[in-house]
Amino acid sequence: MARIRHEGPLIIGGGLAGLSAALEAAPAKALVVTPDLLLNACSSAWAQGGLAAALSPRDSAVLHAKDTEGAGAGLVEPEAARALTERGRETVEWLASLGAPFDRDEAGGFSVSLEAAHSLPRVARVGGDGAGRAILSAVVAAARASSHIEIWEDGRLRGLIQDADGRVRGALIERAGGRVDEVFAPAVVLATGGVGGLYEVTTNPSALRGEGLALAYGAGAEILDPEFVQFHPTAIDVGLDPAPLATEALRGEGARLIDGTGAYLLGEDADADLAPRDIVARAVHAARADGRGAFLDATKAVGEAFPHEFPAVFSACMRAGLDPRVSPIPVAAAAHYHMGGIVADDEGRTTVPGLYAIGECAATGVHGANRLASNSLLEAGAFGRRAGRAAAQE
Ligand code: SIN
């Protein structure tokens, strides 16, 4: 076992939250530890829809916060929602400045699309349905080019080191080959993602099983609402785990949920298909449970535009031998996002001194019982950056 003393924040996780924190920690030195190569094994890279932000002239942070609270089933903390939505534009602009190639409208502004439970189009997309990978690629390039950031791509979190007062002083990191290093740091930032890998079928990388949450709990951190797990209503049902996603933006474009007889699952009114995610996921689950089946019919709404408008969904379907231009896509609800987690403020501070939590493993009060679509990349970027600055002060 080696004992290593690191002079800045030790960040566990290399998704959007962890790397945003690392970039903003400058000039403090940040050590980022991930179990795999950056871009692998993190949910951020798998996000299809995009990043929710009040970008259009008709929109505002207040309206975005109202929709966030509406989706969250009465359990969103209004101040946290405001702190998040007020940072929408600056977060998109920051990511664009790092090279994230957001889709643009004819005037050069950010083009935005509609997703469920948003009262108007608000999701900044990249390459149709490729937002997560494209945004994270830009952030990874920036992190690799930053001299204050060191990255270990073979490190697994095995424990937290605490002093006699309970303050977190570092972490046990298992490196390739099985050696465990004791890494001491002024602050440890958990950006370890969600718990999808604990479920039978998930849309997340299956390696994500809540280790950060469990270790934070063991260290005495307060945990909020661990039972709140969001199921995505339209995971593509082709017998795979992780299940490929059919982004909600498809329903935003007019795709409809139908059963095996072609009847609308949520009724004739197209707006019903854009209800909050928990409502739609329950309807999909019920239709499958009683044998009617559930399908997403995008043949009319997207049709021939599939290959360039939704390339990730198109190729996932084609790999499974299904052409979504002409056939409805079989769908199922699958574990997608953990709203509960380690209690943290909007700078990532947990209830344990020296320990921060950001991204999906954190519970900052912005999601309540049901996260509004595409608020997760916003939270990862906006609160991740703030946590990086705060942890660098420790
Ligand atoms: C989707 O594109 O449907 C997923 C977006 C999200 O989970 O925020």
Side-chain angles (χ1 to χ4, degrees), residues 8 14 66 85 95 115 117 148-149 180 205 229 270 329:
K66 194 163 162 254
T85 59
L95 292 167
E115 288 187 3
H148 75 281
I149 300 178
V180 177
V229 174
I329 304 167

Side-chain angles (χ1 to χ4, degrees), residues 48-49 115 232 245 247-248 277 336 371 373-376:
Q48 287 185 355
E115 288 187 3
H232 197 290
L245 195 65
T247 173
E248 248 172 27
R277 203 170 267 181
H336 184 62
R371 177 183 58 94
S374 293
N375 266 356
S376 40

Side-chain angles (χ1 to χ4, degrees), residues 92-387:
V92 173
E93 285 175 350
W94 177 69
L95 292 167
S97 77
L98 297 178
F102 286 101
D103 293 349
R104 301 285 180 158
D105 58 25
E106 277 164 16
F110 297 106
S111 54
V112 283
S113 62
L114 184 64
E115 288 187 3
H118 288 273
S119 54
L120 74 185
R122 177 183 288 135
V123 179
R125 292 163 68 181
V126 186
D129 58 8
R133 179 155 284 267
I135 292 171
L136 196 64
S137 298
V139 175
V140 165
R144 291 204 192 282
S146 297
S147 57
H148 75 281
I149 300 178
E150 181 181 348
I151 304 168
W152 294 356
E153 290 168 280
D154 66 343
R156 286 179 186 280
L157 175 66
R158 291 298 184 215
L160 293 169
I161 302 169
Q162 288 175 280
D163 65 18
D165 297 326
R167 185 186 171 88
V168 167
R169 296 284 178 192
L172 301 177
I173 305 293
E174 183 179 337
R175 308 293 303 273
R179 190 187 81 197
V180 177
D181 290 340
E182 281 183 315
V183 183
F184 293 88
V188 175
V189 181
L190 297 177
T192 48
V195 298
L198 298 174
Y199 285 78
E200 186 179 353
V201 182
T202 179
T203 60
N204 304 167
S206 38
L208 298 180
R209 294 183 183 159
E211 286 91 342
L213 177 81
L215 289 170
Y217 176 69
E222 189 180 337
I223 305 296
L224 180 73
D225 299 336
E227 71 279 25
F228 287 159
V229 174
Q230 179 173 76
F231 286 74
H232 197 290
T234 58
I236 303 174
D237 183 24
V238 285
L240 295 175
D241 178 40
L245 195 65
T247 173
E248 248 172 27
L250 286 160
R251 275 175 287 134
E253 292 291 315
R256 298 297 313 270
L257 282 161
I258 56 172
D259 67 15
T261 69
Y264 293 124
L265 269 193
L266 288 116
E268 292 290 322
D269 182 2
D271 283 351
D273 282 27
L274 291 171
R277 203 170 267 181
D278 54 332
I279 295 169
V280 183
R282 279 191 198 101
V284 166
H285 181 67
R288 287 168 53 85
D290 67 20
R292 283 177 293 145
F295 300 84
L296 183 67
D297 184 359
T299 55
K300 292 189 199 64
V302 183
E304 290 305 314
F306 247 112
H308 59 273
E309 287 285 325
F310 294 97
V313 178
F314 182 69
S315 72
C317 289
M318 295 302 273
R319 276 198 304 276
L322 182 96
D323 186 341
R325 291 173 294 195
V326 292
S327 303
I329 304 167
V331 292
H336 184 62
Y337 192 87
H338 195 199
M339 277 79 63
I342 308 159
V343 170
D345 66 15
D346 61 11
E347 292 187 319
R349 268 183 220 90
T350 72
T351 54
V352 174
L355 184 66
Y356 288 69
I358 49 175
E360 192 171 345
C361 71
T364 57
V366 298
H367 304 308
N370 184 45
R371 177 183 58 94
L372 183 66
S374 293
N375 266 356
S376 40
L377 289 187
L378 171 59
E379 186 190 16
F383 291 176
R385 293 177 75 194
R386 286 169 68 74

